[in-house]
Amino acid sequence: EELLEISNLNNEYARFQVEDLSELVFDTAYKHNLTSTLKLVLVVSSFGNPPDENISWINEQPWPTFVSTKSPGFGYHSEPWGNVGWDVASYLRFITMFWDSLPERMIFVHGHEMAWHQAGYKMSYMLRNLCYENKDYVSLNTNPQNQKDWKGTASETHSAVVRAVNRQLGQISKLPTMFYDRCCQQFMVTREGIQQQPREFWLELLGYMTDKERLEKNRIPGVFTKRNMATDLPFLEEAWHHLFGVPRLVQRKVYGNQEDFNIETGERTTNNVHQSMSKIVTCPAELCAKSPTCSAVVAQEKARGVTLELKGKIAPGADQGYWKIMRKKKLAENARKRMLDPTAQTHDLDDSL
């Protein structure tokens, strides 16, 4: 582990400990003031002690990780205001806390691995296969069934947030009246995107979102009362991308306009074009192969895909699936071998793949 302190941190995979929320790569970078050198960092908002959600899945993805928790007793992972501000406060805390040493890219997510706003995509799967290098912003959510886009309005309900935004963005006299993006504030963004606005802007929003008296006053009756959700928290859910300098209308074509299949198993992830991530989740991370836990789960998924395929349970037409692709490659390789040596022993499906 000490070798991490003198090695290239970007060649090291996540080593997460759920007991104390520590992660060796990020903590090493933090200790040596090297977080700005990290290519990508996963930021997870967590609730409860132990966490409400099982966050052991963090070790099934490769990226250095920082967990921000509402619970006390976890050192710099604990949020000083406690259980207020929902995931918004967790995200804003990371942004302001590491402002002078932000990584190149950050992925902000909830603690759950699966949710209704992710269709058939596990978070660990998306993080293992995210196409991020040429992207400034990517949502890691899918839309609800049969809903093209989520809409948000800068209405009187959100007037205080709008005023705070407009005070900082002096060149904008009025926010757009409508935003379009996928719900539920899980996304990848670049350092440059975050720094479209000054640190003072994010600090003001953080103070606003952690004002306990205001949150209690504006609480939505019967909605997420455990997590102190006020009426204006959904506004940022719909407007993050715009504050990062992304066009206010995030179009579906960015993510894919077709049904999608898991590239590890060949299973269908969604048959709804509005939920597709076919252009975003198709780039396996090389770093995963270095991690025993990450590579093990990939091997398990591929083996499960073989079993499903052999049993005829892979969705018809799943030709984008990993094992469909590998089978085609294997058939082509076998054909070449037989051309060179007609007596060569070949197999259509190689279990060692």
Side-chain angles (χ1 to χ4, degrees):
E1 294 182 357
E2 291 300 318
L3 290 176
L4 281 173
E5 297 188 4
I6 57 174
S7 67
N8 181 353
L9 293 171
N10 285 305
N11 288 326
E12 299 295 339
Y13 57 86
R15 297 168 174 84
F16 176 67
Q17 299 293 328
V18 70
E19 295 80 13
D20 60 4
L21 306 184
S22 66
E23 194 283 302
L24 183 60
V25 182
F26 184 87
D27 287 352
T28 300
Y30 175 68
K31 175 182 177 182
H32 294 282
N33 196 27
L34 294 173
T35 54
S36 64
T37 68
L38 297 175
K39 290 174 58 178
L40 191 153
V41 166
L42 174 66
V43 181
V44 180
S45 176
S46 177
F47 298 87
N49 180 19
D52 287 357
E53 303 95 354
N54 180 357
I55 56 176
S56 61
W57 60 264
I58 291 173
N59 278 323
E60 297 179 0
Q61 60 82 44
W63 305 111
T65 302
F66 177 81
V67 175
S68 189
T69 180
K70 308 295 182 182
S71 298
F74 290 95
Y76 78 141
H77 296 282
S78 294
E79 298 176 19
W81 40 79
N83 190 23
V84 296
W86 217 29
D87 46 2
V88 174
S90 301
Y91 297 177
L92 292 172
R93 176 177 182 246
F94 184 90
I95 289 171
T96 55
M97 183 177 177
F98 293 99
W99 182 260
D100 293 325
S101 55
L102 289 172
E104 289 183 29
R105 285 178 170 82
M106 289 138 280
I107 296 175
F108 295 90
V109 301
H110 307 160
H112 52 68
E113 187 174 23
M114 285 293 293
W116 63 268
H117 49 84
Q118 292 172 209
Y121 300 92
K122 285 185 176 181
M123 183 55 67
S124 58
Y125 165 73
M126 288 194 282
L127 296 175
R128 290 195 299 269
N129 300 288
L130 185 65
C131 304
Y132 69 91
E133 291 189 340
N134 297 317
K135 305 290 190 302
D136 295 325
Y137 171 87
V138 171
S139 172
L140 293 178
N141 294 299
T142 64
N143 290 314
Q145 190 78 5
N146 299 323
Q147 186 166 323
K148 293 183 179 181
D149 301 281
W150 272 61
K151 306 173 184 179
T153 58
S155 66
E156 286 303 312
T157 305
H158 310 124
S159 59
V161 180
V162 174
R163 286 196 299 272
V165 170
N166 282 328
R167 271 199 302 275
Q168 294 294 340
L169 305 181
Q171 73 278 20
I172 300 177
S173 60
K174 185 178 180 181
L175 280 178
T177 57
M178 187 69 70
F179 299 93
Y180 287 83
D181 193 14
R182 298 179 166 195
C183 102
C184 296
Q185 49 201 13
Q186 297 188 115
F187 51 82
M188 185 281 296
V189 66
T190 63
R191 175 168 53 211
E192 293 74 19
I194 289 174
Q195 293 177 342
Q196 289 285 314
Q197 319 305 338
R199 183 170 184 262
E200 291 72 23
F201 166 71
W202 299 115
L203 279 171
E204 182 170 355
L205 286 186
L206 176 59
Y208 183 78
M209 291 299 177
T210 54
D211 183 335
K212 295 183 180 181
E213 183 178 345
R214 184 197 66 80
L215 287 168
E216 187 64 33
K217 179 180 178 181
N218 295 330
R219 185 195 298 271
I220 303 175
V223 179
F224 293 124
T225 53
K226 182 179 180 182
R227 298 185 181 181
N228 222 336
M229 180 180 181
T231 55
D232 43 23
L233 290 182
F235 169 74
L236 277 178
E237 176 175 298
E238 298 144 354
W240 281 105
H241 64 290
H242 185 67
L243 300 179
F244 297 145
V246 177
R248 66 187 180 93
L249 305 181
V250 177
Q251 298 179 341
R252 190 172 69 242
K253 65 182 181 181
V254 172
Y255 299 93
N257 238 346
Q258 60 196 54
E259 62 180 348
D260 196 14
F261 300 90
N262 184 306
I263 66 171
E264 293 172 355
T265 66
E267 290 179 283
R268 192 193 305 275
T269 50
T270 181
N271 60 1
N272 186 328
V273 297
H274 304 316
Q275 297 179 323
S276 179
M277 302 284 276
S278 59
K279 290 185 178 180
I280 299 297
V281 185
T282 185
C283 303
E286 294 181 6
L287 195 58
C288 182
K290 295 186 176 183
S291 166
T293 49
C294 188
S295 58
V297 75
V298 172
Q300 292 169 4
E301 289 294 275
K302 291 177 179 178
R304 189 167 65 88
V306 172
T307 301
L308 292 170
E309 185 175 37
L310 293 176
K311 291 182 177 181
K313 293 185 178 181
I314 293 295
D319 57 347
Q320 294 182 51
Y322 175 88
W323 283 103
K324 291 287 185 177
I325 295 172
M326 294 304 291
R327 180 180 288 279
K328 290 179 180 178
K329 289 182 177 179
K330 191 65 178 177
L331 289 172
E333 178 186 340
N334 289 344
R336 286 194 296 271
K337 286 182 178 180
R338 284 192 288 267
M339 286 180 63
L340 296 173
D341 180 4
T343 64
Q345 295 291 320
T346 61
H347 302 279
D348 286 344
L349 184 63
D350 186 344
D351 289 337
S352 68
L353 285 173

